[in-house]
Amino acid sequence: MTENTLPHDHGTIKDMDEFNRLLSSTKGFDNVSRALAQMADGTRMRIFWLLCHYEGCVINISAIMGMSSPAVSHHLRSLKQSGLIESRREGKEVYYKAVDSTEVRYLHHMIEDLMEITCPKA
Ligand SMILES: [Zn+2]
């Protein structure tokens, strides 16, 4: 029995092989950890949440957030590098919005569920 190899027998894990198999998938855990790390900054989370509902340029996002453009740009860079938002260029303007992905949908709804709010009317 695999569970007998544990130093302490607290006796509740029935299928240690399954635990070991899932825990060895470090890439999956690291990906979740990286996405959640983006949410560790409240301001960045607010910008992310805004971009789940709204596509905008840095100037408009800054105006909505009441922040300077460089400060917003800093957070946009970080969110984009993490794959949570994307940008598109139209003429001289660059627009940002949340990526359409399972990861983004979960984070979007995690924020709203934990805050007990619903999506605002766009
Ligand atoms: Zn929403």
Side-chain angles (χ1 to χ4, degrees):
M1 297 290 267
T2 321
E3 58 198 288
N4 290 336
T5 62
L6 290 176
H8 295 175
D9 181 14
H10 300 297
T12 51
I13 294 180
K14 289 193 176 110
D15 189 347
M16 187 55 82
D17 290 340
E18 179 72 350
F19 267 88
N20 285 335
R21 187 181 68 77
L22 293 171
L23 284 169
S24 70
S25 165
T26 54
K27 192 176 172 213
F29 283 100
D30 288 347
N31 287 340
V32 175
S33 180
R34 264 193 293 276
L36 290 174
Q38 288 295 308
M39 302 296 114
D41 183 298
T43 300
R44 195 180 305 133
M45 187 195 291
R46 288 164 63 226
I47 293 171
F48 167 76
W49 181 81
L50 169 67
L51 296 178
C52 288
H53 308 92
Y54 171 80
E55 181 183 48
C57 65
V58 174
I59 300 297
N60 284 352
I61 296 166
S62 301
I64 293 168
M65 295 297 297
M67 293 172 61
S68 72
S69 295
V72 167
S73 293
H74 166 74
H75 289 300
L76 292 174
R77 246 191 322 277
S78 182
L79 288 165
K80 192 173 172 187
Q81 279 170 2
S82 73
L84 296 177
I85 68 166
E86 61 191 1
S87 62
R88 68 177 176 88
R89 181 174 284 280
E90 198 177 294
K92 287 181 179 175
E93 211 69 82
V94 178
Y95 295 91
Y96 296 87
K97 68 173 182 177
V99 167
D100 183 12
S101 71
T102 303
E103 189 176 42
V104 163
R105 275 190 296 278
Y106 271 109
L107 289 172
H108 171 183
H109 293 294
M110 176 197 75
I111 293 166
E112 293 178 356
D113 288 351
L114 291 174
M115 289 179 60
E116 299 182 355
I117 59 172
T118 54
C119 288
K121 291 183 187 113

